[in-house]
Amino acid sequence: MCGIVGIFEYRRGAAVEHGLVRRMNDSITHRGPDDAGYLFHGAVGLGMRRLSVIDLAGGHQPIGNETGDVQVVFNGEIYNFASLRRELEEGGHVFRTHSDTEVIVHAYEEWGDACVARFEGMFAFALLDRRRSEHSDRLLIARDHLGKKPLYYADVDGTLVFGSELKPLLLHPKVRRTLDPEALGHYLALRMIPAPLSVFREVKKLPPGHTMSVSRAGVTLRRYWDWRSYADDEMPPFDELVADVRRMIFSAVERRLVADVPLGAFLSGGLDSSAVVAVMSRLMPGRVKTFSIGFEGPASHNELPKARRMAEHLGTDHHELFAQPDLVELLPEFVRYADEPFAISSALPTLLLARAARKEVTVVLTGDGGDEVFGGYAQYLFERWASLLRLSPSGLDPAAIRAASALYGQLGERGAGFRRIARFLQAARRPTAGARRLAWANAPDDGEVRAMLSPELREGHRSTAARLDDEIDAGLRRLAPEAITNAFDVLLYLPDEMLAKVDRMTMAASLEARSPLLDLALVQRLAGVAFARKVPGLGRSSLKQVLRAAVGDLLPPDGRDAPKWGFNVPLDPWFRGKARSYLLEHLSPERVTRRGVFDPAAVRDVLARFDAGRADANTHVFPLLVFELWAEQYLDH
């Protein structure tokens, strides 16, 4: 696991400043504290930081082919590198190391750009091809299928600057810090910024499943993999599907146990992480090291008892962290490592847990992706309910309210308040799938977002609901409404929220995270299965039925039936208690006015609604605070 940076003066051919590349590389030392490597060749400068995981002695980068005219710097893991290596050796390629990085070089020699489609893993790499002549260097940059590893780039006046994080790009004098109004609007709605946008107008994110070819001819992006091409509504026999999934999960976990360093797992006590740890316990010698975190406050914010029971059942070497963080100290650190405005509160415990785990291990397996792959989010049921209910024009028809109350009861929400049910009915009446997906997440609608932005930035605002709906092509429109909602989660929320969170926070602690439930073969297999097969009913028990059936015998009964259990953070009590003065200081009318990004009156209204219990900290208040803390570091300094 590493971080990479680079500069290519592809138009002018001017020599790259070596010191600048080194400073860029130093800015991401946390991603790879074990080693640094550089390649300078005229107009090209590449750098990498290495966290040594495989072939500790021989994996120094850059790594080249036999003649040295193809070189690569690489961030990630290629899980099928052993089988690819055997195939390449049979074709005459000679390997000098045992690292997965060297497979990339020889695979490119053998298959060209198409090599990326054969890699199964998580990766971002930059490969320099000097085979043509001194004056026709070509750079191939690639990002993995699902977007597990990040890649930022800026193409300015014939200069390409790129890196695993935003920080190194900002060291280049050509990269200006001009805010992107469209990105800011999406941030307020999504609490993150979706690719290809970044918070700055001149910086982009390479989308998942894409390559970038750079030469004197220019910069060309190409999609080499698309989840949508696998999405279908097949109805395989349930038992056959379960058997396939069980085999695939065991294979996915086994491939992610390859490491020359200590390895463990995050364990929340929910189904996804418990399934991964259960399979690890079957495949690994000795006891698996597991790590969990809890916060003071309501039981819903403390996963430790559930995780402890699961760890006892599976016989793991369990480590617990009970966190009482000082937000004044933690939030600026979190913001620095997140790179962009990123208001996903579960990143806070992820950072703390990663630091605790790093004291024991270098690699952790996680349960990330289980909800997206197997259908685990409540909004899939909400979307199904919405298609079944007949709503009156007001959305408050008594029969509809009774029906919604009964459906909420299926989620264990008996006695849910009238306002909550009314909110569901209003969301269900939204005209497009994208608008409903935002409503299920209690996100501000387009009108609220426009009002929140300053008058100068409103003109650049674009509807976030429309941004989501653009992801839905003709092939997806024929699927069930809940399957379309799932597509939003896989195509947008997974790479830009879930995987971005895990990458930034674990790398901040120099810890590698691997996600077996996002194994490529498993993702492609489940994408083609009708949602009615994966989630067959209307109640909570129908969520992730295939996963429950596939691994249920490895878990205790309460683990098989456990509801979704993520890293819950007590933001509301924090911002009404210990951190209230901190919140009000950073969102004071004077500071908001001086910043010039948000409308002071709109921010004041959000805080008033929060005080009255009509707005929650997670989706309304926290994004505003995070942006101000981010701006202090990335705009003011």
Side-chain angles (χ1 to χ4, degrees), residues 2-5 28 31 75 150-152 162-166 168 339:
C2 310
I4 62 174
V5 300
I28 57 169
R31 297 188 74 92
N75 167 27
L151 198 291
Y152 287 88
F162 65 90
S164 294
E165 297 186 3
L166 180 61
D339 262 349

Side-chain angles (χ1 to χ4, degrees), residues 8-13 43 155 157-160 214-216 218-219:
F8 187 5
E9 297 283 0
Y10 67 89
R11 285 279 189 233
R12 297 185 299 125
D155 180 12
D157 300 329
T159 301
L160 183 80
V214 190
S215 67
R216 181 167 292 181
V219 177

